[in-house]
Amino acid sequence: MKRANRMSVTTKYVLLVSALMLLTNIVLSSVMIHQFRSTIQTLVRRDMLDISNTAAGLLDGDVLGELKEEDVGTPKLEDIRHQLAVFQDNVDIEYIYAVRQVGEDDFVFTVDADPKDPADFGEEVLVTYALRQAARGYATVDTEPAEDEWGNFYSAYSPVFDSDGRIACIIGMDYDADWYDRQILENSVSVGIISVLSVILTLMILLIVTGNIRKKFA
């Protein structure tokens, strides 16, 4: 009778400890997945900013600030378009372009590197939080996608300054929303798989230990 009671109490303690270990493992795995996802989002956005900042740093703000509609088709504007096209042809972006602020919350295209369907000089740009921040002098990436006639994108914007330190224009880069979300998903899945396997392994170990204890008291 005492042996049966001892086995019952021992089994209860083992099951309780096993449940706590399993729950702890699940919670830690969930926290790790969330933190890793946030880290990947930060890294992807940083890479987007690095590219837009690089493009902005290579352009002459004085020239960009003086562009007029009459310059369309001239060597001066085509040279800028060519410089921007280098990024569009060699980096995972959909579009790259230069925009200018013409009002308190109004922005227009000046140069668009897209060879198929470029925006016209002076055509209005969809205004987002990142674009407003760039107009204040801060390179920024949108945290939410925005949709316009060209598609659904996350965008990065970097200001270009002229020789007097004024913002001459802003370089914008559009990243396909599906591409962005895929980068986050692909990098998060690997951590998710490891976490799930860890939970399964913990569960298997606990089942084996519990089974051995039960046999010992059988």
Side-chain angles (χ1 to χ4, degrees):
M1 189 70 172
K2 290 182 179 180
R3 183 181 179 87
N5 287 337
R6 187 174 64 174
M7 179 188 69
S8 178
V9 172
T10 302
T11 301
K12 288 180 181 179
Y13 276 121
V14 170
L15 291 176
L16 177 61
V17 172
S18 299
L20 288 174
M21 289 179 63
L22 184 60
L23 179 62
T24 300
N25 196 292
I26 292 174
V27 171
L28 289 176
S29 297
S30 299
V31 170
M32 185 171 66
I33 291 174
H34 175 73
Q35 290 181 337
F36 186 80
R37 183 179 178 85
S38 297
T39 300
I40 291 300
Q41 287 178 328
T42 300
L43 291 175
V44 171
R45 290 170 187 163
R46 188 185 67 186
D47 288 344
M48 291 165 67
L49 276 181
D50 285 344
I51 296 171
S52 64
N53 285 335
T54 299
L58 292 175
L59 298 172
D60 189 329
D62 291 328
V63 175
L64 281 166
E66 295 173 353
L67 288 179
K68 301 179 178 62
E69 189 171 2
E70 297 77 41
D71 294 317
V72 174
T74 65
K76 179 167 65 173
L77 191 143
E78 289 304 314
D79 180 60
I80 296 172
R81 190 194 307 276
H82 175 72
Q83 293 180 64
L84 294 177
V86 171
F87 289 88
Q88 182 152 335
D89 294 339
N90 296 281
V91 183
D92 285 328
I93 60 175
E94 290 296 314
Y95 303 110
I96 180 170
Y97 45 88
V99 303
R100 176 184 297 161
Q101 186 172 14
V102 295
E104 183 177 351
D105 201 35
D106 299 308
F107 298 82
V108 297
F109 289 97
T110 55
V111 185
D112 186 353
D114 184 41
K116 298 180 180 179
D117 185 25
D120 295 327
F121 189 103
E123 186 172 347
E124 289 187 4
V125 180
L126 178 65
V127 180
T128 66
Y129 170 78
L131 181 53
R132 293 188 183 99
Q133 288 299 102
R136 297 184 177 96
Y138 306 102
T140 311
V141 177
D142 282 314
T143 57
E144 297 293 334
E147 187 171 2
D148 59 16
E149 61 182 285
W150 287 279
N152 193 31
F153 307 103
Y154 287 89
S155 300
Y157 292 98
S158 297
V160 179
F161 299 91
D162 61 20
S163 55
D164 294 324
R166 296 173 298 191
I167 298 176
C169 78
I170 298 167
I171 298 302
M173 289 187 176
D174 293 337
Y175 296 78
D176 182 69
D178 290 337
W179 172 87
Y180 177 93
D181 293 336
R182 189 168 58 250
Q183 298 303 305
I184 305 300
L185 178 62
E186 289 177 354
N187 286 279
S188 299
V189 164
S190 58
V191 174
I193 291 175
I194 293 174
S195 298
V196 171
L197 290 176
S198 176
V199 171
I200 293 174
L201 181 61
T202 300
L203 181 59
M204 291 177 61
I205 292 174
L206 293 176
L207 288 174
I208 293 172
V209 171
T210 303
N212 290 336
I213 291 176
R214 285 179 175 174
K215 288 179 182 179
K216 183 177 180 180
F217 287 98

